[in-house]
Amino acid sequence: MRSLTASELLGAWEAGHPHSAPGRALALLCAAWPERSPGELARLPVGVRDSLLLAAREGTFGSALVGLVSCPPCGEQVELAFEVGDIQVPQGAPPPEVLEVEHAGHAVRFRLPDSRDLAALAAGRGGAGREGVLARCVVEAHREGAHVDARALPEDVIRAIADAMEAADPQARVELSTTCPACGHHWFAAFDIAEFFWREVEAWAQRTLRDVHTLARLYGWSEEHILGMSPWKRQRYLELAGT
């Protein structure tokens, strides 16, 4: 479990802020695992990436996660409260770089989506959604020896590829069983640890910058000195300052 310091969190927030969601998740990973290159981390399958983000989040903010989702039929805000361990898939051997599926006369070789693919799709490069993922991740596809374009694969073959991706990288898709207390509607709410962790970091960073500003103005301390304090000690000084 990797715990990010206050300085590391602010550095990750600053580095990730100009980017879309995949780049922000990568900034958090780079802060938590500086011994690994950004390129190496960007090539991790999405589920492997998310497993690392869960570990960093647990080490930094604790194991409890609380969030709100909107009920699809009635719009009621439903609170979800759970633990990291409730959604963390045990990590076995790393998934292979290339997987294969044979279905309905088609033979398809493909790789798992990674942060580079998510960033490209977020930027509108290579299509969108499932079609964009296939276009980027299918290495080659054949039917009876003839080449088949990834975008021309039939629906049942695409489903077989999606099932194989999920089986090889199960942490990439997390859904929480949810029931609305207002209308009784039941559904499975998708949970994205990259988005959730980033929102937490952003809220924390805004609060911390205000604290640094207050203490630096009052005592003349540097940002490094203030961030080096424990949160408990920093809060005591803020109370003395009347904030």
Side-chain angles (χ1 to χ4, degrees):
M1 191 184 304
R2 177 71 165 88
S3 176
L4 289 164
T5 66
S7 294
E8 289 169 338
L9 276 175
L10 276 182
W13 177 65
E14 183 179 5
H17 200 269
H19 299 285
S20 61
R24 292 172 175 179
L26 187 58
L28 292 172
L29 283 186
C30 289
W33 283 272
E35 69 277 9
R36 304 177 74 170
S37 72
E40 179 187 0
L41 292 170
R43 290 191 296 273
L44 293 176
V46 172
V48 177
R49 179 204 73 171
D50 287 358
S51 181
L52 293 179
L53 287 173
L54 280 169
R57 195 278 177 190
E58 184 174 19
T60 303
F61 292 141
S63 62
L65 301 103
V66 179
L68 294 172
V69 293
S70 296
C71 174
C74 75
E76 178 77 11
Q77 292 292 292
V78 181
E79 182 179 275
L80 299 178
F82 52 98
E83 300 283 323
V84 167
D86 295 334
I87 60 171
Q88 195 160 35
V89 177
Q91 290 298 302
E97 290 189 11
V98 178
L99 297 92
E100 298 185 18
V101 158
E102 293 188 6
H103 185 82
H106 291 76
V108 185
R109 299 178 71 245
F110 57 94
R111 60 176 178 80
L112 294 171
D114 57 31
S115 295
R116 300 169 301 174
D117 303 312
L118 299 185
L121 295 178
R125 302 193 304 271
R130 185 178 65 177
E131 291 75 16
V133 170
L134 284 175
R136 292 185 61 85
C137 294
V138 169
V139 177
E140 59 179 357
H142 294 88
R143 184 177 187 277
E144 298 177 353
H147 172 76
V148 178
D149 187 270
R151 299 179 187 275
L153 291 170
E155 183 63 29
D156 57 335
V157 175
I158 293 173
R159 284 199 301 270
I161 295 171
D163 290 344
M165 284 182 171
E166 185 170 350
D169 196 28
Q171 191 70 69
R173 182 179 179 182
V174 174
E175 294 181 324
L176 303 170
S177 178
T178 310
T179 300
C180 177
C183 71
H185 176 69
H186 179 78
W187 81 104
F188 289 92
F191 176 76
D192 182 350
I193 180 56
E195 179 183 355
F196 185 91
F197 192 14
W198 180 262
R199 288 202 309 266
E200 288 185 311
V201 169
E202 188 155 42
W204 172 91
Q206 297 287 1
R207 293 193 305 269
T208 300
L209 286 181
R210 286 194 295 269
D211 294 347
V212 169
H213 171 73
T214 298
L215 294 176
R217 184 178 58 180
L218 187 62
Y219 295 106
W221 294 332
S222 68
E223 179 184 272
E224 181 181 6
H225 179 76
I226 296 168
L227 293 178
M229 296 178 184
S230 69
W232 182 88
K233 187 176 182 181
R234 194 185 311 142
Q235 185 58 37
R236 299 294 77 77
Y237 276 114
L238 289 166
E239 289 172 0
L240 288 172
T243 62

